[in-house]
């Protein structure tokens, strides 16, 4: 059975009004990333980091899924069990669009996690309060459920599972700077990159002096919303209508 692996990044939700760290006016410029998104920052100032994620959770409340979220949801419904839906995003817009099987590689913004027992639970869009305790073990050691720099991302194992089962790879709205999408694309005979601009392939070992799109068989140089319809047609053609 043919399957498709879709990996989405911040660009998927950017057109819904969710700012990204790489935007000109994005969160990178308001906060030092290692202060609010790293294990070291969390251990140094838990109150600051909690305020940061409280603000992000509040900002998410009035955002709505866009056409790209809805297209992925429609594909999952139409081709049940044949779409791997992996996202680097911590928002819930794919779920609100109707997706019921989303693999959040970097955690989820609406949830809190207990540091004592590992239990995860949904608090909606409200702030994490000083009085919050784990509903399972009642521990007060409660934190956001977003993976920070310096800690493991256990859901990354799903990337390898998806690569092993899929024949078409679709990367939408991701620059490849966090997850190396080129190395993934090399595993596929068929691949689609969706990004409004060309990005150089740069790794920890330096620049490869080639554009990322050169490693994909198809390149839709446009935003996620504008790519929703052609992406759908290409996936339908691959899976068979």
């Amino acid at each position: 059975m043919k399957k498709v692996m879709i990996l989405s990044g911040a660009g998927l939700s950017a057109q819904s009004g969710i700012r990204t760290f790489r935007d000109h006016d994005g969160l990178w410029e308001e906060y030092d990333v290692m202060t609010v998104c790293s294990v070291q920052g969390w251990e140094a100032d838990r109150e600051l980091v909690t305020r940061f994620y409280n603000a992000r959770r509040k900002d998410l409340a009035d955002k709505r899924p866009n056409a790209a979220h809805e297209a992925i949801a429609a594909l999952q419904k139409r081709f049940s069990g044949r779409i791997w839906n992996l996202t680097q995003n911590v928002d819930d817009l794919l779920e609100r669009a109707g997706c019921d099987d989303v693999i959040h590689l970097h955690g989820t913004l609406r949830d809190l996690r207990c540091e004592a027992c590992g239990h995860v639970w949904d608090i909606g869009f409200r702030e994490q309060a000083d009085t919050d305790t784990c509903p399972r073990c009642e521990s007060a050691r409660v934190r956001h459920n977003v993976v920070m720099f310096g800690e493991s991302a256990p859901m990354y194992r799903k990337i390898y599972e998806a690569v092993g089962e899929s024949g078409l790879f679709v990367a939408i709205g991701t620059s490849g700077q966090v997850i190396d999408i080129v190395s993934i694309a090399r595993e596929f005979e068929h691949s689609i990159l969706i990004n409004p601009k060309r990005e150089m392939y740069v790794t920890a070992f330096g620049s490869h002096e080639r554009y990322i799109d050169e490693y994909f068989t198809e390149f839709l140089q446009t935003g996620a919303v504008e790519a929703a319809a052609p992406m759908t047609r290409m996936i339908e053609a691959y899976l068979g209508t």
Side-chain angles (χ1 to χ4, degrees):
M1 181 191 303
K2 289 183 177 179
K3 292 187 179 182
V4 175
M5 173 184 177
I6 300 177
L7 174 64
S8 57
L12 175 67
S13 295
Q15 288 175 281
S16 288
I18 296 180
R19 294 181 299 170
T20 73
F21 282 127
R22 303 182 73 227
D23 288 338
H24 175 70
D25 61 346
L27 297 173
W28 285 104
E29 295 183 6
E30 295 175 21
Y31 297 91
D32 177 82
V33 64
M34 297 310 290
T35 299
V36 294
C37 298
S38 72
V39 172
Q40 294 89 343
W42 171 242
E43 292 174 346
D45 194 338
R46 293 189 173 213
E47 183 179 347
L48 173 64
V49 176
T50 298
R51 288 202 307 270
F52 170 75
Y53 285 106
N54 282 345
R56 293 193 68 190
R57 199 176 299 114
K58 180 181 179 180
D59 181 64
L60 177 60
D62 65 351
K63 301 302 185 288
R64 297 293 178 266
N66 60 49
H69 295 106
E70 293 167 352
I72 294 172
L75 285 164
Q76 274 199 301
K77 286 186 174 68
R78 182 171 182 183
F79 300 101
S80 180
R82 302 175 67 185
I83 305 289
W84 279 90
N85 185 4
L86 301 95
T87 186
Q88 299 175 73
N89 299 337
V90 296
D91 62 66
D92 66 340
L93 297 186
L94 282 165
E95 286 86 351
R96 282 196 259 171
C99 294
D100 57 7
D101 188 14
V102 183
I103 298 169
H104 286 273
L105 299 170
H106 296 148
T108 46
L109 191 57
R110 284 181 44 153
D111 297 327
L112 295 184
R113 184 166 86 243
C114 177
E115 292 181 293
C117 73
H119 181 59
V120 175
W121 67 100
D122 185 356
I123 64 167
F125 305 106
R126 72 169 177 84
E127 294 186 352
Q128 176 185 341
D130 294 337
T131 55
D132 277 324
T133 58
C134 175
R136 174 180 289 175
C137 73
E138 300 184 350
S139 172
R141 292 175 54 201
V142 172
R143 55 161 279 185
H144 55 282
N145 187 45
V146 176
V147 176
M148 296 182 289
F149 291 108
E151 64 182 352
S152 63
M155 296 307 290
Y156 272 28
R157 68 182 187 277
K158 294 294 184 180
I159 296 175
Y160 305 106
E161 291 181 30
V163 170
E165 290 190 2
S166 307
L168 170 63
F169 173 48
V170 181
I172 178 170
T174 175
S175 66
Q177 292 192 8
V178 177
I179 295 176
D180 185 357
I181 57 175
V182 168
S183 64
I184 297 175
R186 283 172 164 162
E187 300 293 322
F188 289 83
E189 183 179 353
H190 308 288
S191 56
I192 303 169
L193 175 65
I194 298 168
N195 198 320
K197 62 180 181 179
R198 302 190 79 188
E199 305 261 10
M200 292 297 297
Y201 181 36
V202 180
T203 67
F205 302 102
S207 174
H208 291 247
E209 298 183 350
R210 292 182 62 185
Y211 289 104
I212 290 175
D213 58 87
E214 295 179 55
Y215 297 90
F216 285 75
T217 55
E218 301 286 346
F219 178 38
L220 300 180
Q221 189 174 356
T222 185
V225 169
E226 294 75 20
M231 175 189 70
T232 297
R233 289 193 295 269
M234 295 168 82
I235 292 175
E236 286 176 338
Y238 175 77
L239 292 177
T241 55

